[in-house]
Amino acid sequence: MRLSSRTFNFTRDVVERLARERPRDEALRAVGPDGSVRSFTFADVAGEAAAAAAGLARLGIGRGDLVMTLMGARPEWVFALLGAWRLGAVALPGSEQLRAKDLALRIRAARPALVLAAERDMDELQRALGDVEHAPRCHDVEADGLPRAEPDTAAAADTTVDHPALVIFTSGTAGEPRGVVHTQGYLRGQHTQAAHWFGARAGELAWCTAASGWSKSARNAFVAPWTMGAACLLHDARFDPSQRLAMVAEHEVSVLCQS
């Protein structure tokens, strides 16, 4: 990682670099609600990110546009964020715990150009859209799949460390939730906490159980593991302590990060 440079794009400088250096190493292991397992190498992830970027571009998403996600911890969520960052777009991950009024507040404040949502979250989202003046385009990632297209051969956007990458809303415990902008530099800076606190190493499997939309998930679901060359585990299911402990053993998780 070129820490001395002000130019940084997480998808290009972390994911695509790992795809060149360690294409066959596992990057992502996803366990679905039914227990099914999907595994992706770093080469797979880079390819999916490029296809997602091309699909988002076909829908009119470009540099500086905001893409909101509303889905569980599934590979499509990761690929959507990587695709947005590759274009120089901004991601707003939303928690599935949000209700219509919460979603409407975020849509009014952040003005996303596109919302990518799971089918199970569409009813709540549609209720929210009825309460906003400027409704974004919505895409059901289960019915229609993640937007994908033939990957563009062009390089990823040449973003700087000051370029917006993420918007994470505060919890709202001391007032209305407010969106906090995190830059590409924030993503690059996760290397420090990944090395000295998170602790995953190349060849290990790390699992951050936080739901998408929370700051811990934005930092540690895949960003921190990949800055260290480790693989990440995703589990699209609700909290069950016995199941979680069984999964740690079954998948030989090296680092478990959870509240």
Side-chain angles (χ1 to χ4, degrees), residues 25-97:
D25 286 4
E26 185 179 42
L28 188 157
R29 190 181 307 172
V31 181
D34 60 355
S36 60
V37 179
R38 289 188 285 169
S39 180
F40 301 84
T41 66
F42 282 112
D44 293 334
V45 170
E48 292 290 341
L56 291 172
R58 182 173 289 182
L59 293 178
I61 300 301
R63 189 183 184 97
D65 289 331
L66 192 141
V67 177
M68 183 177 180
T69 64
L70 187 63
M71 62 184 88
R74 59 181 71 192
E76 292 78 11
W77 169 67
V78 175
F79 302 150
L81 267 60
L82 294 176
W85 294 338
R86 193 176 199 280
L87 294 172
V90 185
L92 168 55
S95 167
E96 291 186 295
Q97 295 176 340

Side-chain angles (χ1 to χ4, degrees), residues 126-175:
Q126 291 300 328
R127 283 194 285 273
L129 295 179
D131 195 30
V132 299
E133 184 176 354
H134 302 285
R137 182 172 183 171
C138 296
H139 184 95
D140 187 330
V141 298
E142 286 172 335
D144 304 317
L146 188 68
R148 299 177 87 260
E150 189 66 28
D152 193 339
T153 56
D158 204 22
T159 50
T160 69
V161 292
D162 299 322
H163 190 85
L166 268 172
V167 175
I168 302 293
F169 272 75
T170 60
S171 62
T173 53

